[in-house]
Amino acid sequence: MIIGLTGSIASGKSTVSNMLKEKGFPIVDADEIARRVVEPGSELLKEIENIFGNKVLFADGSLNRVVLGELIFGDEQARLQLNAIMHPAIRKEMIRQKQEHLSNGAQTVIMDIPLLIESKLQSYVEKIIVVSVTPKVQIERLKSRNVLSDEEALVRIQSQLPMHTKEQYAHAVIDNNASLKQTEQQLDEILLSWNVEL
C-alpha cells in the first residue's frame, strides 16, 4: 500500500512521519528530496542560477533559500518558473525511491508530501492521511518555532490550502491538537483498520 501523508504548516506532519519511521516504514520525504536535487554542483542548481542570478547562492555554492524565497514571493511568474524546474525532478526522484522500497520487499511505503493536495499528486498514493490542527494551535507552534507575530504566522498559514479543504481529500484524519500519545494512538488505529503491513 502506498500511503500519502500530508498536513499544513505547523500541523505536526513531521512528527507523525517520524512515528512511522520508528515503526519501520520506509519514508519517501518530498522536502528532503527537494533539498537534495539542488545540492551544490547539481544541474538543477545551475539552471536556477542561470534564471535568478548568483545572488541566490551562498559563497560556498549552496542555495540561499531565503533570497530565492524573497524573489518568488508575490511574483507568480517567477514562482511558476521555479516550479517548472523543481517539480519534475522532485517527482521523478520520489517515484524512483518508492519503486526502490517496493523492489526491496516493502509492503507499505509512506509518501511524505507537504503539498500533496495543492500539487494534485493524489494519483501517486492509494490512501491519504491528513494531520490536522486548529489555526490557533498552528499560530502558537509557528510563533514558538520562529520569532513571528500573530499576523506573520497567519500569512504563512493562509498561503496554504485551508485545513478543512485538505481533510476532504483524506481517507483518515489525525487530530494533532492534543498529546503525542493521543496522536500515536490515532495513527495505530488507522494502520490497524487498513491492515497495513511493513
Side-chain angles (χ1 to χ4, degrees):
M1 186 186 288
I2 310 299
I3 297 175
L5 178 67
T6 194
S8 288
I9 191 166
S11 66
K13 179 194 60 63
S14 300
T15 302
V16 174
S17 185
N18 285 331
M19 286 175 182
L20 286 158
K21 194 182 283 179
E22 281 167 20
K23 292 176 193 299
F25 290 100
I27 312 281
V28 175
D29 183 335
D31 275 351
E32 187 190 311
I33 291 169
R35 284 190 290 273
R36 198 183 301 170
V37 295
V38 290
E39 282 179 346
S42 66
E43 285 303 313
L44 228 57
L45 191 56
K46 285 185 193 131
E47 231 179 301
I48 290 169
E49 184 188 357
N50 287 341
I51 291 168
F52 296 99
N54 61 6
K55 59 184 170 291
V56 298
L57 300 184
F58 285 114
D60 67 357
S62 63
L63 181 63
N64 185 332
R65 289 170 190 283
V66 174
V67 170
L68 184 60
E70 284 166 0
L71 286 176
I72 65 165
F73 190 76
D75 184 341
E76 186 66 6
Q77 202 53 49
R79 191 179 64 80
L80 291 172
Q81 213 172 2
L82 180 66
N83 288 349
I85 300 169
M86 295 281 292
H87 287 181
I90 294 167
R91 289 171 189 180
K92 188 177 170 188
E93 178 59 14
M94 277 165 46
I95 291 167
R96 190 199 67 75
Q97 285 189 19
K98 178 189 78 173
Q99 288 308 130
E100 187 178 19
H101 289 308
L102 293 173
S103 301
N104 290 337
Q107 295 299 305
T108 304
V109 178
I110 310 297
M111 307 280 282
D112 179 343
I113 311 174
L115 300 177
L116 176 68
I117 314 298
E118 290 90 335
S119 302
K120 298 180 172 54
L121 297 179
Q122 295 94 315
S123 63
Y124 280 44
V125 300
E126 293 163 64
K127 299 268 193 189
I128 296 173
I129 297 174
V130 171
V131 183
S132 186
V133 289
T134 62
K136 185 172 178 280
V137 170
Q138 274 181 296
I139 289 170
E140 283 166 13
R141 286 185 185 161
L142 272 176
K143 282 168 69 179
S144 68
R145 196 186 293 177
N146 312 304
V147 189
L148 296 175
S149 67
D150 282 26
E151 289 74 25
E152 288 169 324
L154 207 56
V155 166
R156 295 197 184 189
I157 291 164
Q158 288 171 344
S159 73
Q160 298 187 330
L161 266 184
M163 203 64 96
H164 63 85
T165 305
K166 289 192 176 190
E167 287 176 14
Q168 290 167 14
Y169 292 89
H171 297 90
V173 175
I174 292 177
D175 176 344
N176 194 28
N177 288 299
S179 69
L180 285 178
K181 191 180 176 192
Q182 283 166 293
T183 297
E184 186 154 22
Q185 211 171 344
Q186 292 173 72
L187 177 61
D188 288 340
E189 283 166 12
I190 293 164
L191 297 175
L192 192 64
S193 70
W194 290 351
N195 297 315
V196 171
E197 296 173 47
L198 280 172

